[in-house]
Structure formats: C-alpha cells, structure tokens
C-alpha cells in the first residue's frame, strides 16, 4: 500500500499528522538518556513522530552533555 505525499498526512500509514509531544531515548553504550515532552509532529493513527531540526539540535546538545557526564541514566524534559 502506498500513500501520496500530502501535507499533514502520514507517509507511513495515511493517518493525520498533528502537533504533539514525544519521548526521545538514546543508548550511549554505557548508559541511557531519556528526554520527555519533546515537541514533535505525531501521527494520530500509527504514532510515528517527526522532530524539527531546531529541536533535534537541542536534543543533540543534551545527549552530548550526558555523554560527558558519563551517567548511567539521565532523564530530563525538553523545554522548547
């Protein structure tokens, strides 16, 4: 089953993409970083999510900071 690329339509299942929040998890090998409340576009049908570049840059900074701290587990929320 293929879906046409329509703005606001999920390319995976054809559901509706809407603004929402997601949780991002990164496995660092020695530990895990969990970032909650990440602004994203989320499919209302399958739950797939898309994160904008500016938000991804913030996530990357958080993950890099956690990598330097070398914590086993770090859980935080993203304030956009």
């Amino acid at each position: 089953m293929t879906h046409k690329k329509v703005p606001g339509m999920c390319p995976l299942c054809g559901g509706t993409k809407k603004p929402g929040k997601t949780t991002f998890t990164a496995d660092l090998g020695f530990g895990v970083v969990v970032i909650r409340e990440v602004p994203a576009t989320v499919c209302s049908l399958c739950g797939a999510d898309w994160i904008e570049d500016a938000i991804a840059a913030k996530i990357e900074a958080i993950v890099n900071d956690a990598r330097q701290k070398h914590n086993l587990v770090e859980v935080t929320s993203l304030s956009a």
Side-chain angles (χ1 to χ4, degrees):
M1 175 188 244
T2 60
H3 298 284
K4 293 180 183 177
K5 290 186 180 181
V6 176
M9 188 170 114
C10 176
L12 304 175
C13 73
T16 304
K17 296 189 318 186
K18 297 182 178 183
K21 302 230 181 220
T22 191
T23 299
F24 179 88
T25 306
D27 183 350
L28 303 178
F30 57 83
V32 174
V33 178
V34 179
I35 306 171
R36 297 180 176 172
E37 300 296 316
V38 177
T41 301
V42 182
C43 176
S44 61
L45 189 59
C46 71
D49 51 27
W50 293 267
I51 299 169
E52 292 182 10
D53 291 344
I55 300 299
K58 290 181 181 183
I59 290 171
E60 186 174 354
I62 291 169
V63 171
N64 286 335
D65 183 55
R67 183 176 284 119
Q68 290 181 353
K69 291 179 188 174
H70 217 278
N71 289 343
L72 194 57
V73 176
E74 180 156 336
V75 179
T76 188
S77 293
L78 184 71
S79 52

